[in-house]
Amino acid sequence: MFKGLGVNHIGMGVNDLSRMKEFYGRTLAFNQPMAVFEDTWNPMSEMFRGSTHKLDGIMFSQEAGGVVVELIRMAVPLPKAIRNGTRYGDIGVNKMTIAVSDIDAFIEGYKDKVRFCSEPKATTIPGLGSYRFVYARDPEGNLIEFISGAEGGGIFGGCQWIGVSVTNLERSRAFYRDHCGFDTVVVETHENFSGLVDEVAEAKNARVRSCILSNSHGGGKLELYELVEPRGRSIPFNARWGDFGCLEVCLTIDDVFHTAKELAAAGIEFLSHPTCMDAAEGEAWFLYAKDPDGIPVEMISITPH
């Protein structure tokens, strides 16, 4: 079996690349550049509805490490909003979770820089213990969860995990365990966020089931959650890669070809075949597949120069 290595990055389509780079790069201290794309003719023709596609973008992380953020501004074809207004629980890649040293101090120090959209809350999570969090939106409305728990002397402790909202938690948990290498349970399935996400779900007494998975070889973690009541809205039918909003979760794997063979044998639907593009570290081989809800999952392996 191929070896999964956890979450590599979250991919986001943006409308104003300069503004989003400023917010993530300066305000949230994603100041460790991983890659820059300028007038790039993207090789992922299978992911597009047209053959012409050009983009700009950046990949960067916080100094503490964690999941990388990728911002993409499609130039050709012109992008549009995936949906008008993102709610907690909309099906697909739905949020990122960033650790900070102290929730209350962070809110006070960043209230003029970050658009908070919930009051700070506290609960107890199995496997994590006491859990304090607050929600915010980036300049284009994407959800960010900030949690207490950053270690060291800095404000930020890295992007800890990516949240994917699904329609059937057990089915999706089995998919990411069996086909994506998430072999370790960090947080068992629980409902302790129920009633605490009403502001961002835009609902009263929202009921949610959630779990957090990781990979025993390292890498970023994955939170899967199911908004039971009210049900999360489906992926818009006409959404296209590069439109504004969260596009994908990208996983690191050791061998894209073995992965493709195993996924095909399991009947997993592909969105693209293995494709190569140059990266700073070497050749980057990647493919796209669909999870049980049709959410794009990128899998990438790097062959050093």
Side-chain angles (χ1 to χ4, degrees):
M1 180 176 179
F2 74 91
K3 182 189 296 183
L5 301 170
V7 175
N8 179 286
H9 69 262
I10 177 175
M12 303 165 65
V14 304
N15 184 27
D16 188 333
L17 181 58
S18 296
R19 186 183 184 197
M20 292 286 274
K21 283 170 62 177
E22 179 76 12
F23 176 77
Y24 282 97
R26 291 186 179 272
T27 303
L28 299 189
F30 280 80
N31 52 23
Q32 306 297 305
M34 313 294 288
V36 176
F37 313 110
E38 295 180 345
D39 290 331
T40 299
W41 292 93
N42 199 291
M44 298 185 299
S45 59
E46 292 167 291
M47 287 288 291
F48 295 84
R49 295 178 180 176
S51 58
T52 303
H53 39 275
K54 186 170 71 169
L55 58 85
D56 298 304
I58 188 171
M59 299 178 70
F60 44 17
S61 67
Q62 291 182 339
E63 189 173 350
V67 176
V68 172
V69 169
E70 178 184 47
L71 305 177
I72 293 295
R73 176 55 166 95
M74 191 66 65
V76 180
L78 288 174
K80 63 184 186 307
I82 293 176
R83 65 166 76 249
N84 294 322
T86 299
R87 299 176 190 166
Y88 177 99
D90 288 342
I91 304 306
V93 181
N94 193 255
K95 70 180 179 76
M96 67 181 76
T97 298
I98 299 173
V100 296
S101 55
D102 182 276
I103 287 289
D104 298 312
F106 175 67
I107 294 173
E108 179 61 28
Y110 281 75
K111 60 186 178 183
D112 296 327
K113 304 175 183 178
V114 173
R115 180 160 56 110
F116 295 102
C117 57
S118 79
E119 293 297 319
K121 307 285 175 59
T123 186
T124 301
I125 303 300
L128 292 181
S130 178
Y131 187 96
R132 298 198 70 225
F133 64 99
V134 67
Y135 275 92
R137 295 187 182 275
D138 71 15
E140 297 192 0
N142 300 296
L143 281 170
I144 306 172
E145 179 190 29
F146 294 98
I147 62 171
S148 283
E151 299 178 354
I155 296 173
F156 297 103
C159 182
Q160 298 295 300
W161 55 77
I162 300 304
V164 177
S165 179
V166 303
T167 62
N168 184 313
L169 186 61
E170 283 71 29
R171 181 181 66 175
S172 294
R173 180 169 164 169
F175 171 83
Y176 284 96
R177 178 196 64 211
D178 297 340
H179 303 300
C180 300
F182 287 91
D183 57 3
T184 302
V185 177
V186 178
V187 174
E188 286 286 358
T189 299
H190 67 93
E191 295 192 14
N192 294 20
F193 289 131
S194 293
L196 299 179
V197 294
D198 292 5
E199 294 146 301
V200 287
E202 299 181 16
K204 187 175 182 180
N205 298 319
R207 181 185 166 205
V208 59
R209 303 173 66 239
S210 174
C211 69
I212 297 177
L213 308 177
S214 70
N215 182 273
S216 56
H217 301 289
K221 296 184 285 292
L222 184 73
E223 179 182 7
L224 300 175
Y225 49 97
E226 177 186 353
L227 192 61
V228 179
E229 188 177 348
R231 300 299 295 176
R233 296 181 296 178
S234 63
I235 301 172
F237 176 74
N238 61 346
R240 181 174 59 194
W241 197 96
D243 287 343
F244 316 148
C246 294
L247 304 173
E248 67 192 18
V249 58
C250 177
L251 314 178
T252 305
I253 56 176
D254 65 336
D255 189 308
V256 72
F257 298 103
H258 286 169
T259 302
K261 183 177 180 180
E262 292 186 25
L263 294 180
I268 306 301
E269 184 177 352
F270 291 92
L271 289 167
S272 76
H273 293 91
T275 305
C276 180
M277 66 182 297
D278 287 331
E281 306 95 323
E283 286 185 345
W285 284 91
F286 63 89
L287 61 80
Y288 279 83
K290 286 185 178 182
D291 84 350
D293 286 305
I295 300 166
V297 179
E298 182 183 9
M299 300 183 183
I300 187 170
S301 62
I302 304 293
T303 302
H305 288 304

